[in-house]
Every structure is written in C-alpha cells, then in structure tokens.
Amino acid sequence: MNELKAIIEAFNQAENNHQKTALATVVNIQGSAYRQIGAKLLIFEDGKRVGSISGGCLENDVCEWAKQVIKTGQPQVITYDTTAPEDIILGLGLGCNGIVQVLIEPLDENSFQIQWMDECLNHRKLGAIATLFSIEEDAKILMSLKTFVDQTGRIINQIEDSKLSENIIQDTQTALINQQSQVKTYFWNQTEIKGLIDMIKPAISLLIFGAGEDAIPLVNLAKELGWIVTLIDHRPDTATALRFPLADQIIIAHPDEIETNSSQILPDFDNYTVAVIMTHNYICDRSLLKFLLPSSLPYIGLLGSRKRSEQILQELNSELNLNSIPLHHFYSPIGLDIGAETPSEIALSILAEIQGVLSNRLGGSLKYRVGSIHQS
C-alpha cells in the first residue's frame, strides 16, 4: 500500500477506536539522511506506528516524544544532529553526517491535514501543504499553522499575518508548479521561522495490457510499491482475480474495443499514469500502440525485441504520422539494463525504469552520481 494512504487509513482506524495520535514529519535536513523532507510517521498513543522517517534509527525516540505531544497537545520540533563523530558511539549511532529536524504534531478527529491528503489521493489531485515550524520560542505561536493549495487553484490558509501569508501562498503555488517539496525561510516579528512545503502526489497508476505469466510478478511488485494496478486482457479465463489477486482492477476488453471506446473502458489518464504492453501478440500490441502513442502518458513500454518494436512503428507511421508525435515517452526494449532474465527480474527492471522516468533519472548506479543522491 502507498505509505501515505496507509497513514491515512491508520488515522481513520484510530479515530474509530477513539485513540489519540501524533504525526511526525521530517521538515528539514542538512547533509545526509535516509529519508527526505516530507517523510511521515503516524504514532498511536499505545505506541503503534505506521510509516517511517528514517531507516529505523529515529523512530523509537520520536515515539517517546510523540507520547508527550499527545499528552500536552503541543507540537514539538526535535533536532537530531549526527554530524559529530562521537554520535556514532554516544548518540543514536546513526553515522549519517546530517542534521534532521522532525516536527511532531498532535492529531485530533477533525484533523483537516489528514482530510486534505486523503482528498488529494482519492481524487488524484496534485496538492501542497505548507507547514510552519521553528525552534524559537517567540515563533511557537505559529507552529504547525498551514496553507493548503491544490492544482485546481483551491487555497485554504490558516495564517492570519497578511504579509507572511502572501509569501507562503506564492511559494506554495510555485512549488506546486515545480512539483518539488522544499523548505523556505521567513521572518515574522524579526524572528526566523521556516516552512516545509510538502507535495502530495497521487499514487502511480500502472496499466498492464496482457495477462500472461510474466504479468504476475509485475502486478505483485507494483503493489508492493503502493502503485494502483489495472490489468487489461481480452481473455476472461486468463485475466482472473484468482491469478491476479493483488490487481486493483481487472478489465476484460479486446484492443479493438479499447481503441474505439477507451473512455468507457479504461481509468482516466493523468501525469501519474503509465502503461506497459505485454500481450505477446503482434496484432494486439500494434493496436494498443496505435491508441496509446498519441496520448500524453509519461511512459509507454512495449515488451519485445527492438526489431519487433521498430517494425510496429514503421507500420504505424503511415496511420499516425509519427514524425509529429514525440516518442520520448515510448520505451522498447522495455526496462533497465540489469541483466534480467526471469519474469521477476524483468518486472523489477521494468518498474525501476518507470520510477526513473517519472523521477527524471537515468537509472545509473549511485556510486557514479555526482552530487546529492536525492537531488532532482
């Protein structure tokens, strides 16, 4: 399950059981850290937790702080400094050479933050939440105040100071355009205060055309990543819930039906929808590509050899005028070059390539990356 979705569902469960919770969010990082800004951990008053903010080294300590936050109802910013060499021995033993700040907020049954995130995910809307935080006593009055903006232009603002509010809304709208979480610094009453602008992105929606044996590990691995998986095949005896129990939706439709009536058959396309064609049928692949290539999908992958895909493109050229269609979103042969042979290895290769494309990364080894491994 998508981590954020799991947190939302866990919060709703806590609400139904009348349990108090706190939300821990990584709001600022200097140097190296396992998780990046925006990483979240939901903590129940009984110690249960959902999500993660590190590789497991911060969670226990954060949970102890969360008990205090739940008891007092007051948010706290906790700073973990692992830049000092002696921390490896005397501190938490992270050895990450970074400073991590974690905001812990009490949540109540009317938490609009949770509702907003849930709405963005359910309606597949890109959203952003700006949250103020500070370690300065003079600015504690602003702690956890928020501004909510989504891609439709809707704005909900909790910050009363007009100048501060104007700056935060502008920065949040810019971050929404760039689709990049960031930390900004502001000044209020001559006191420095920071704001985390946290992007809320829809889960990746994966359309898999073809219900062969090699589609099984692709579905399973994609669900492990928290993606929404739709399986499409024209064979009702092959595309079954028994063979694909983790698929979110199974659609029985022939490629010809999809081409002529896609809006009634397939889920809506958006910037987080990708497609993989693996029918192992030349005619079906050709028909599906004819329909998908003109779309705005950021990734369309075709399983098969380079020669086979080139032949299909050559045949489609007269029908689609491919010179007028940018094919940067078309990938074939599909997947990263990791020496994949088995269906599970091929599935791993495909999903890694999709993740790299959506993150604007080339998929090379981090060993050879220049600069931060998390930098866009």
Side-chain angles (χ1 to χ4, degrees):
M1 181 184 294
N2 178 277
E3 186 176 68
L4 186 55
K5 191 68 175 177
I7 287 174
I8 294 169
E9 291 191 6
F11 171 79
N12 291 333
Q13 178 186 357
E15 181 184 342
N16 292 334
N17 295 332
H18 306 288
Q19 280 190 287
K20 294 182 178 180
T21 57
L23 184 66
T25 305
V26 176
V27 292
N28 198 19
I29 291 172
Q30 298 176 42
S32 177
Y34 185 85
R35 295 293 303 269
Q36 289 300 287
I37 54 172
K40 293 176 176 58
L41 176 71
L42 181 73
I43 304 105
F44 288 61
E45 59 183 331
D46 63 3
K48 177 185 174 182
R49 62 199 192 201
V50 177
S52 70
I53 54 170
S54 73
C57 40
L58 299 182
E59 276 75 359
N60 288 338
D61 192 68
V62 166
C63 284
E64 292 302 312
W65 281 102
K67 293 176 183 178
Q68 178 180 333
V69 168
I70 291 173
K71 183 178 180 180
T72 64
Q74 299 300 315
Q76 291 273 0
V77 174
I78 311 302
T79 300
Y80 297 95
D81 186 348
T82 66
T83 58
E86 58 269 20
D87 174 74
I88 298 176
I89 300 174
L90 301 177
L92 294 170
L94 305 181
C96 294
N97 294 317
I99 299 174
V100 180
Q101 288 186 301
V102 180
L103 171 64
I104 307 175
E105 306 169 89
L107 295 178
D108 56 42
E109 60 184 18
N110 297 314
S111 174
F112 184 75
Q113 180 180 5
I114 297 294
Q115 297 174 28
W116 177 274
M117 294 189 296
D118 194 26
E119 181 182 330
C120 287
L121 294 183
N122 287 335
H123 295 280
R124 297 191 63 78
K125 295 188 300 184
L126 188 65
I129 304 174
T131 302
L132 294 178
F133 65 96
S134 177
I135 59 174
E136 303 292 338
E137 284 297 327
D138 292 343
K140 288 294 179 68
I141 191 174
L142 298 177
M143 184 83 83
S144 294
L145 292 183
K146 303 180 189 297
T147 296
F148 303 86
V149 181
D150 69 22
Q151 67 184 60
T152 68
R154 182 186 180 199
I155 299 174
I156 297 177
N157 180 42
Q158 299 176 345
I159 302 165
E160 294 183 357
D161 185 283
S162 58
K163 184 176 181 181
L164 178 60
S165 174
E166 181 182 348
N167 291 335
I168 291 173
I169 290 174
Q170 183 177 350
D171 288 340
T172 305
Q173 290 172 328
T174 300
L176 195 63
I177 294 172
N178 297 330
Q179 299 187 25
Q180 187 71 41
S181 297
Q182 56 185 286
V183 178
K184 304 290 287 187
T185 300
Y186 304 98
F187 288 91
W188 175 80
N189 285 355
Q190 298 181 334
T191 302
E192 181 181 289
I193 187 165
K194 293 186 181 294
L196 166 68
I197 303 177
D198 186 19
M199 302 304 304
I200 308 301
K201 299 180 180 180
I204 296 172
S205 175
L206 172 62
L207 309 179
I208 302 175
F209 296 90
E213 290 297 318
D214 52 355
I216 295 175
L218 187 62
V219 170
N220 295 343
L221 282 175
K223 289 306 300 176
E224 183 71 21
L225 294 173
W227 296 8
I228 299 172
V229 179
T230 302
L231 184 76
I232 307 103
D233 198 292
H234 64 280
R235 300 166 295 177
D237 58 335
T238 302
T240 66
L242 183 63
R243 296 184 67 235
F244 298 94
L246 298 184
D248 295 279
Q249 185 178 11
I250 296 176
I251 297 173
I252 308 300
H254 195 276
D256 292 340
E257 298 177 70
I258 295 171
E259 187 176 352
T260 57
N261 197 23
S262 61
S263 61
Q264 301 298 318
I265 297 174
L266 298 179
D268 293 336
F269 290 0
D270 57 33
N271 292 334
Y272 295 91
T273 302
V274 296
V276 171
I277 303 172
M278 48 195 314
T279 70
H280 299 279
N281 181 296
Y282 187 91
I283 302 301
C284 289
D285 286 356
R286 185 184 185 282
S287 179
L288 290 168
L289 268 185
K290 181 181 178 181
F291 158 67
L292 289 172
L293 282 179
S295 75
S296 59
L297 293 181
Y299 181 97
I300 301 167
L302 173 63
L303 187 69
S305 67
R306 190 185 311 276
K307 182 177 181 180
R308 182 176 182 270
S309 63
E310 288 176 349
Q311 183 175 340
I312 293 177
L313 291 178
Q314 186 175 1
E315 293 177 6
L316 290 177
N317 187 46
S318 59
E319 301 176 54
L320 296 178
N321 186 17
L322 295 181
N323 291 329
S324 63
I325 299 176
L327 295 180
H328 60 275
H329 62 336
F330 175 60
Y331 292 81
S332 187
I334 194 173
L336 295 184
D337 183 11
I338 59 173
E341 294 288 344
T342 68
S344 293
E345 292 169 350
I346 292 170
L348 175 65
S349 169
I350 293 170
L351 296 179
E353 181 176 62
I354 294 172
Q355 178 67 36
V357 169
L358 296 182
S359 302
N360 197 27
R361 295 292 189 92
L362 297 177
S365 296
L366 290 174
K367 175 180 179 179
Y368 302 110
R369 180 173 172 81
V370 178
S372 169
I373 64 173
H374 293 291
Q375 185 180 2
S376 294

